[in-house]
Amino acid sequence: MGKFNRTIMKSAAIALLIVPISSQVHTREKASTNVRAFHPGDIAGCPQQIQPFGNHPNIRDCLQNIQKAANDDLLKRAQKGDPEAQKELASAYEHGRDGFEQNDTLAIYWYEKAAAHGDTWAIASVALLLLTGELDKSAEDAKAATLEWMQSHSDKAIVWRLSVTPQNLTTEDINAIRLRKRFHRATLAAGCDIYPDGSCTPEIRRSGILTIKSLAEAGLPEAQTLWGMTLFRKDMMYAIGLEPDPQDGLAYLLKGAEGGDPKAFIEIASVYEHGKGVESDTHKALEWYDGYVQLTTKLKKDAETKGHVTSFEDKLLVQCKLYFLRGDAIAPVTQYECESNRHFIQAY
């Protein structure tokens, strides 16, 4: 489906990124230890090559066993002092992936091991987690620990991709970044069932969905939008033992729109377009699609005045909606995209 092949749990953007000057793209080199790399065929009962969506009768068990073997191999290499393995293990703990439970404390531990080798990516990653990680620290203490770490590694060239320098971050800034990072992690956990590696569990998914709910109740616009969308979905609501509630879902979508989340405008438009829990109303749907265009145009203009570049992934979808529902004029190349994805667009 090209640009339209999206899912409800697409990752939210985090405003804070750190990239080392020495390597703008983080690469993973081969392990430098003598531990023999495992092969899927080494796992009893598994075929020599695994295709995640193949027809092997025990595919899920095989994938879980392969992942466990990979994790054991990674841990051995990290313990032997391989900085690349240490970074990879730290990243697995940081993001809670590949069967490793999310744990910022362990992530920092292994990043520090790699940082001891002078690895600038690891040094920057420690600073990032000290500032934004879930470490039971106040924003003030987190900022102090981050600045102390940066000062102790001031000889290393690190580019901080922040709208402001760490020194200028306020308590409010830090808490906002932490909140969005927590939301980002929750979306990955709630949507973990889309990954075929067997690491997703009902508990992880349930925890992610409930975290989105709590963040929505706390007033985070993006979370209000996503929780509103979730309230319409049987599979998501059944995962936490509740029934869908379209009326409450629309109420949360409206809160997300009021908070300025562009995604909420599209979802509200879809509710009225398809009559999800309300009477179908094309006129109201068009009003919300138009509202999306007006909001994103303003946001883009505001960003340009500050010298920032911004884009909105749903722009093409909305253009196609307005083309199909009202006959708006669009460029030939856009019309081709719309017609090529007509079924998906009209169903969204």
Side-chain angles (χ1 to χ4, degrees):
M1 291 184 180
K3 296 180 182 179
F4 293 105
N5 188 17
R6 306 177 302 109
T7 67
I8 186 175
M9 291 303 165
K10 190 161 185 179
S11 301
I14 298 178
L16 183 60
L17 296 172
I18 303 177
V19 180
I21 286 178
S22 60
S23 177
Q24 292 295 332
V25 177
H26 178 41
T27 58
R28 294 176 178 173
E29 298 174 0
K30 264 191 171 181
S32 58
T33 66
N34 294 321
V35 178
R36 187 179 75 84
F38 73 95
H39 185 276
D42 297 336
I43 308 300
C46 289
Q48 288 293 310
Q49 291 189 349
I50 293 289
Q51 296 296 329
F53 298 102
N55 295 318
H56 192 274
N58 300 314
I59 188 68
R60 194 169 190 83
D61 289 340
C62 286
L63 289 170
Q64 289 176 335
N65 290 335
I66 289 172
Q67 189 63 67
K68 183 180 183 303
N71 292 348
D72 291 344
D73 176 73
L74 178 63
L75 182 58
K76 287 179 183 178
R77 289 187 283 119
Q79 291 172 334
K80 284 179 174 287
D82 177 16
E84 290 299 320
Q86 290 166 343
K87 282 190 296 183
E88 188 172 345
L89 182 57
S91 178
Y93 277 121
E94 179 183 1
H95 301 292
R97 59 173 173 77
D98 299 337
F100 287 95
E101 185 176 353
Q102 198 285 315
N103 189 311
D104 284 340
T105 300
L106 287 175
I108 289 176
Y109 173 82
W110 286 107
Y111 276 133
E112 285 181 336
K113 291 287 189 182
H117 293 272
D119 189 288
T120 54
W121 180 274
I123 294 169
S125 296
V126 171
L128 172 62
L129 284 173
L130 287 173
L131 186 66
T132 68
E134 296 181 37
L135 304 171
D136 198 25
K137 287 180 179 287
S138 67
E140 294 83 356
D141 289 343
K143 179 177 177 179
T146 303
L147 293 176
E148 181 180 352
W149 174 263
M150 291 175 63
Q151 182 59 38
S152 65
H153 294 82
S154 58
D155 59 317
K156 301 295 182 182
I158 300 173
V159 173
W160 285 78
R161 296 244 171 139
L162 285 166
S163 57
V164 292
T165 60
Q167 290 86 342
N168 294 336
L169 284 174
T170 65
T171 297
E172 185 177 319
D173 293 331
I174 296 171
N175 286 333
I177 293 170
R178 283 176 165 181
L179 200 62
R180 280 171 171 77
K181 186 169 186 177
R182 190 177 172 212
F183 172 66
H184 171 68
R185 285 176 169 173
T187 62
L188 295 178
C192 68
D193 60 317
I194 68 172
Y195 301 107
D197 62 5
S199 62
C200 185
T201 66
E203 291 75 20
I204 290 174
R205 195 167 182 233
R206 174 183 171 83
S207 175
I209 296 170
L210 290 176
T211 298
I212 292 169
K213 179 178 182 288
S214 68
L215 292 174
E217 293 170 344
L220 183 66
E222 297 96 319
Q224 289 172 331
T225 300
L226 190 50
W227 176 239
M229 295 165 65
T230 301
L231 282 161
F232 283 90
R233 290 187 49 170
K234 290 182 179 180
D235 62 325
M236 301 291 282
M237 297 306 291
Y238 290 169
I240 58 174
L242 297 176
E243 294 287 333
D245 188 344
Q247 288 188 334
D248 201 25
L250 179 57
Y252 268 98
L253 290 176
L254 289 168
K255 290 178 182 179
E258 185 179 352
D261 182 20
K263 181 69 174 176
F265 284 71
I266 295 175
E267 295 303 322
I268 295 170
S270 180
V271 166
Y272 283 112
E273 180 184 352
H274 299 291
K276 301 175 184 176
V278 299
E279 186 177 348
S280 178
D281 191 327
T282 302
H283 178 70
K284 282 188 177 180
L286 287 168
E287 285 183 344
W288 282 99
Y289 284 131
D290 284 333
Y292 170 89
V293 174
Q294 293 166 9
L295 175 61
T296 54
T297 299
K298 180 181 182 302
L299 291 174
K300 184 176 182 180
K301 189 175 297 183
D302 291 344
E304 289 173 349
T305 61
K306 298 175 183 177
H308 299 162
V309 176
T310 187
S311 61
F312 299 94
E313 64 177 22
D314 294 308
K315 179 182 177 181
L316 182 58
L317 172 65
V318 173
Q319 286 180 317
C320 293
K321 285 289 189 181
L322 294 174
Y323 165 67
F324 288 132
L325 292 175
R326 193 169 57 196
D328 284 15
I330 53 178
V333 65
T334 305
Q335 183 176 345
Y336 174 78
E337 287 275 4
C338 295
E339 294 291 353
S340 298
N341 295 277
R342 176 184 283 268
H343 177 73
F344 171 78
I345 295 164
Q346 292 183 330
Y348 188 91

PDB file of all heavy atoms in Angstrom, residues 69-88:
ATOM      1  N   ALA A  69      18.765 -18.059  22.045  1.00  0.00           N
ATOM      2  CA  ALA A  69      20.149 -18.371  21.699  1.00  0.00           C
ATOM      3  C   ALA A  69      20.913 -17.105  21.332  1.00  0.00           C
ATOM      4  O   ALA A  69      22.080 -16.929  21.701  1.00  0.00           O
ATOM      5  CB  ALA A  69      20.180 -19.365  20.536  1.00  0.00           C
ATOM      6  N   ALA A  70      20.247 -16.214  20.598  1.00  0.00           N
ATOM      7  CA  ALA A  70      20.884 -14.956  20.221  1.00  0.00           C
ATOM      8  C   ALA A  70      21.185 -14.118  21.461  1.00  0.00           C
ATOM      9  O   ALA A  70      22.254 -13.494  21.567  1.00  0.00           O
ATOM     10  CB  ALA A  70      19.969 -14.177  19.270  1.00  0.00           C
ATOM     11  N   ASN A  71      20.263 -14.093  22.411  1.00  0.00           N
ATOM     12  CA  ASN A  71      20.456 -13.317  23.633  1.00  0.00           C
ATOM     13  C   ASN A  71      21.604 -13.882  24.467  1.00  0.00           C
ATOM     14  O   ASN A  71      22.404 -13.126  25.043  1.00  0.00           O
ATOM     15  CB  ASN A  71      19.171 -13.289  24.456  1.00  0.00           C
ATOM     16  CG  ASN A  71      18.076 -12.495  23.783  1.00  0.00           C
ATOM     17  OD1 ASN A  71      18.330 -11.786  22.821  1.00  0.00           O
ATOM     18  ND2 ASN A  71      16.850 -12.618  24.275  1.00  0.00           N
ATOM     19  N   ASP A  72      21.664 -15.209  24.569  1.00  0.00           N
ATOM     20  CA  ASP A  72      22.762 -15.832  25.314  1.00  0.00           C
ATOM     21  C   ASP A  72      24.099 -15.497  24.669  1.00  0.00           C
ATOM     22  O   ASP A  72      25.086 -15.200  25.365  1.00  0.00           O
ATOM     23  CB  ASP A  72      22.571 -17.358  25.350  1.00  0.00           C
ATOM     24  CG  ASP A  72      21.388 -17.779  26.213  1.00  0.00           C
ATOM     25  OD1 ASP A  72      20.912 -16.944  27.012  1.00  0.00           O
ATOM     26  OD2 ASP A  72      20.939 -18.933  26.072  1.00  0.00           O
ATOM     27  N   ASP A  73      24.129 -15.547  23.349  1.00  0.00           N
ATOM     28  CA  ASP A  73      25.351 -15.224  22.605  1.00  0.00           C
ATOM     29  C   ASP A  73      25.750 -13.764  22.830  1.00  0.00           C
ATOM     30  O   ASP A  73      26.926 -13.452  23.070  1.00  0.00           O
ATOM     31  CB  ASP A  73      25.106 -15.485  21.113  1.00  0.00           C
ATOM     32  CG  ASP A  73      26.288 -15.096  20.248  1.00  0.00           C
ATOM     33  OD1 ASP A  73      27.297 -15.811  20.270  1.00  0.00           O
ATOM     34  OD2 ASP A  73      26.190 -14.053  19.556  1.00  0.00           O
ATOM     35  N   LEU A  74      24.755 -12.875  22.794  1.00  0.00           N
ATOM     36  CA  LEU A  74      25.027 -11.446  22.999  1.00  0.00           C
ATOM     37  C   LEU A  74      25.569 -11.187  24.398  1.00  0.00           C
ATOM     38  O   LEU A  74      26.534 -10.427  24.576  1.00  0.00           O
ATOM     39  CB  LEU A  74      23.734 -10.651  22.774  1.00  0.00           C
ATOM     40  CG  LEU A  74      23.802  -9.133  22.992  1.00  0.00           C
ATOM     41  CD1 LEU A  74      24.771  -8.504  22.005  1.00  0.00           C
ATOM     42  CD2 LEU A  74      22.412  -8.516  22.849  1.00  0.00           C
ATOM     43  N   LEU A  75      24.960 -11.812  25.402  1.00  0.00           N
ATOM     44  CA  LEU A  75      25.397 -11.611  26.788  1.00  0.00           C
ATOM     45  C   LEU A  75      26.831 -12.101  26.983  1.00  0.00           C
ATOM     46  O   LEU A  75      27.643 -11.431  27.650  1.00  0.00           O
ATOM     47  CB  LEU A  75      24.456 -12.347  27.736  1.00  0.00           C
ATOM     48  CG  LEU A  75      24.747 -12.198  29.237  1.00  0.00           C
ATOM     49  CD1 LEU A  75      24.712 -10.730  29.648  1.00  0.00           C
ATOM     50  CD2 LEU A  75      23.750 -12.996  30.057  1.00  0.00           C
ATOM     51  N   LYS A  76      27.177 -13.240  26.384  1.00  0.00           N
ATOM     52  CA  LYS A  76      28.545 -13.768  26.499  1.00  0.00           C
ATOM     53  C   LYS A  76      29.554 -12.782  25.911  1.00  0.00           C
ATOM     54  O   LYS A  76      30.602 -12.516  26.497  1.00  0.00           O
ATOM     55  CB  LYS A  76      28.656 -15.118  25.787  1.00  0.00           C
ATOM     56  CG  LYS A  76      27.978 -16.269  26.521  1.00  0.00           C
ATOM     57  CD  LYS A  76      28.114 -17.559  25.715  1.00  0.00           C
ATOM     58  CE  LYS A  76      27.379 -18.710  26.393  1.00  0.00           C
ATOM     59  NZ  LYS A  76      27.464 -19.963  25.589  1.00  0.00           N
ATOM     60  N   ARG A  77      29.229 -12.245  24.744  1.00  0.00           N
ATOM     61  CA  ARG A  77      30.155 -11.303  24.100  1.00  0.00           C
ATOM     62  C   ARG A  77      30.287 -10.015  24.902  1.00  0.00           C
ATOM     63  O   ARG A  77      31.374  -9.449  25.017  1.00  0.00           O
ATOM     64  CB  ARG A  77      29.683 -11.005  22.674  1.00  0.00           C
ATOM     65  CG  ARG A  77      29.868 -12.176  21.722  1.00  0.00           C
ATOM     66  CD  ARG A  77      29.560 -11.819  20.284  1.00  0.00           C
ATOM     67  NE  ARG A  77      28.136 -11.740  20.014  1.00  0.00           N
ATOM     68  CZ  ARG A  77      27.508 -10.646  19.605  1.00  0.00           C
ATOM     69  NH1 ARG A  77      28.184  -9.509  19.451  1.00  0.00           N
ATOM     70  NH2 ARG A  77      26.217 -10.673  19.364  1.00  0.00           N
ATOM     71  N   ALA A  78      29.168  -9.562  25.467  1.00  0.00           N
ATOM     72  CA  ALA A  78      29.220  -8.341  26.284  1.00  0.00           C
ATOM     73  C   ALA A  78      30.054  -8.570  27.534  1.00  0.00           C
ATOM     74  O   ALA A  78      30.860  -7.707  27.921  1.00  0.00           O
ATOM     75  CB  ALA A  78      27.797  -7.919  26.658  1.00  0.00           C
ATOM     76  N   GLN A  79      29.884  -9.722  28.174  1.00  0.00           N
ATOM     77  CA  GLN A  79      30.643 -10.026  29.386  1.00  0.00           C
ATOM     78  C   GLN A  79      32.125 -10.183  29.110  1.00  0.00           C
ATOM     79  O   GLN A  79      32.964  -9.941  29.988  1.00  0.00           O
ATOM     80  CB  GLN A  79      30.079 -11.291  30.038  1.00  0.00           C
ATOM     81  CG  GLN A  79      28.697 -11.102  30.641  1.00  0.00           C
ATOM     82  CD  GLN A  79      28.071 -12.395  31.114  1.00  0.00           C
ATOM     83  OE1 GLN A  79      28.391 -13.486  30.612  1.00  0.00           O
ATOM     84  NE2 GLN A  79      27.163 -12.309  32.073  1.00  0.00           N
ATOM     85  N   LYS A  80      32.467 -10.579  27.877  1.00  0.00           N
ATOM     86  CA  LYS A  80      33.870 -10.709  27.494  1.00  0.00           C
ATOM     87  C   LYS A  80      34.512  -9.367  27.156  1.00  0.00           C
ATOM     88  O   LYS A  80      35.697  -9.299  26.859  1.00  0.00           O
ATOM     89  CB  LYS A  80      34.004 -11.672  26.307  1.00  0.00           C
ATOM     90  CG  LYS A  80      33.871 -13.145  26.673  1.00  0.00           C
ATOM     91  CD  LYS A  80      33.998 -14.025  25.439  1.00  0.00           C
ATOM     92  CE  LYS A  80      34.015 -15.495  25.829  1.00  0.00           C
ATOM     93  NZ  LYS A  80      35.289 -15.879  26.465  1.00  0.00           N
ATOM     94  N   GLY A  81      33.694  -8.296  27.168  1.00  0.00           N
ATOM     95  CA  GLY A  81      34.251  -6.960  26.969  1.00  0.00           C
ATOM     96  C   GLY A  81      34.128  -6.387  25.581  1.00  0.00           C
ATOM     97  O   GLY A  81      34.771  -5.378  25.274  1.00  0.00           O
ATOM     98  N   ASP A  82      33.337  -7.005  24.722  1.00  0.00           N
ATOM     99  CA  ASP A  82      33.154  -6.470  23.369  1.00  0.00           C
ATOM    100  C   ASP A  82      32.248  -5.248  23.432  1.00  0.00           C
ATOM    101  O   ASP A  82      31.051  -5.372  23.743  1.00  0.00           O
ATOM    102  CB  ASP A  82      32.536  -7.547  22.480  1.00  0.00           C
ATOM    103  CG  ASP A  82      32.241  -7.040  21.067  1.00  0.00           C
ATOM    104  OD1 ASP A  82      32.784  -5.981  20.699  1.00  0.00           O
ATOM    105  OD2 ASP A  82      31.472  -7.695  20.350  1.00  0.00           O
ATOM    106  N   PRO A  83      32.750  -4.040  23.130  1.00  0.00           N
ATOM    107  CA  PRO A  83      31.938  -2.823  23.258  1.00  0.00           C
ATOM    108  C   PRO A  83      30.718  -2.803  22.339  1.00  0.00           C
ATOM    109  O   PRO A  83      29.690  -2.232  22.693  1.00  0.00           O
ATOM    110  CB  PRO A  83      32.914  -1.689  22.913  1.00  0.00           C
ATOM    111  CG  PRO A  83      34.020  -2.337  22.151  1.00  0.00           C
ATOM    112  CD  PRO A  83      34.131  -3.720  22.698  1.00  0.00           C
ATOM    113  N   GLU A  84      30.834  -3.428  21.163  1.00  0.00           N
ATOM    114  CA  GLU A  84      29.681  -3.462  20.264  1.00  0.00           C
ATOM    115  C   GLU A  84      28.556  -4.310  20.863  1.00  0.00           C
ATOM    116  O   GLU A  84      27.377  -3.950  20.789  1.00  0.00           O
ATOM    117  CB  GLU A  84      30.082  -3.994  18.888  1.00  0.00           C
ATOM    118  CG  GLU A  84      30.959  -3.057  18.086  1.00  0.00           C
ATOM    119  CD  GLU A  84      30.280  -1.738  17.803  1.00  0.00           C
ATOM    120  OE1 GLU A  84      29.066  -1.749  17.513  1.00  0.00           O
ATOM    121  OE2 GLU A  84      30.943  -0.702  17.880  1.00  0.00           O
ATOM    122  N   ALA A  85      28.920  -5.424  21.444  1.00  0.00           N
ATOM    123  CA  ALA A  85      27.918  -6.273  22.102  1.00  0.00           C
ATOM    124  C   ALA A  85      27.341  -5.567  23.320  1.00  0.00           C
ATOM    125  O   ALA A  85      26.148  -5.672  23.606  1.00  0.00           O
ATOM    126  CB  ALA A  85      28.547  -7.605  22.508  1.00  0.00           C
ATOM    127  N   GLN A  86      28.183  -4.842  24.041  1.00  0.00           N
ATOM    128  CA  GLN A  86      27.714  -4.103  25.212  1.00  0.00           C
ATOM    129  C   GLN A  86      26.701  -3.034  24.813  1.00  0.00           C
ATOM    130  O   GLN A  86      25.672  -2.854  25.477  1.00  0.00           O
ATOM    131  CB  GLN A  86      28.912  -3.475  25.935  1.00  0.00           C
ATOM    132  CG  GLN A  86      29.792  -4.506  26.627  1.00  0.00           C
ATOM    133  CD  GLN A  86      31.139  -3.966  27.067  1.00  0.00           C
ATOM    134  OE1 GLN A  86      31.588  -2.908  26.600  1.00  0.00           O
ATOM    135  NE2 GLN A  86      31.807  -4.690  27.954  1.00  0.00           N
ATOM    136  N   LYS A  87      26.976  -2.343  23.724  1.00  0.00           N
ATOM    137  CA  LYS A  87      26.020  -1.339  23.230  1.00  0.00           C
ATOM    138  C   LYS A  87      24.714  -1.983  22.781  1.00  0.00           C
ATOM    139  O   LYS A  87      23.622  -1.473  23.050  1.00  0.00           O
ATOM    140  CB  LYS A  87      26.630  -0.545  22.060  1.00  0.00           C
ATOM    141  CG  LYS A  87      27.619   0.516  22.473  1.00  0.00           C
ATOM    142  CD  LYS A  87      27.986   1.410  21.306  1.00  0.00           C
ATOM    143  CE  LYS A  87      28.690   0.662  20.211  1.00  0.00           C
ATOM    144  NZ  LYS A  87      29.107   1.561  19.108  1.00  0.00           N
ATOM    145  N   GLU A  88      24.835  -3.115  22.091  1.00  0.00           N
ATOM    146  CA  GLU A  88      23.634  -3.787  21.601  1.00  0.00           C
ATOM    147  C   GLU A  88      22.787  -4.284  22.769  1.00  0.00           C
ATOM    148  O   GLU A  88      21.559  -4.184  22.753  1.00  0.00           O
ATOM    149  CB  GLU A  88      24.027  -4.947  20.691  1.00  0.00           C
ATOM    150  CG  GLU A  88      22.847  -5.580  19.982  1.00  0.00           C
ATOM    151  CD  GLU A  88      23.275  -6.602  18.936  1.00  0.00           C
ATOM    152  OE1 GLU A  88      24.471  -6.612  18.567  1.00  0.00           O
ATOM    153  OE2 GLU A  88      22.410  -7.381  18.502  1.00  0.00           O
TER     154      GLU A  88
END
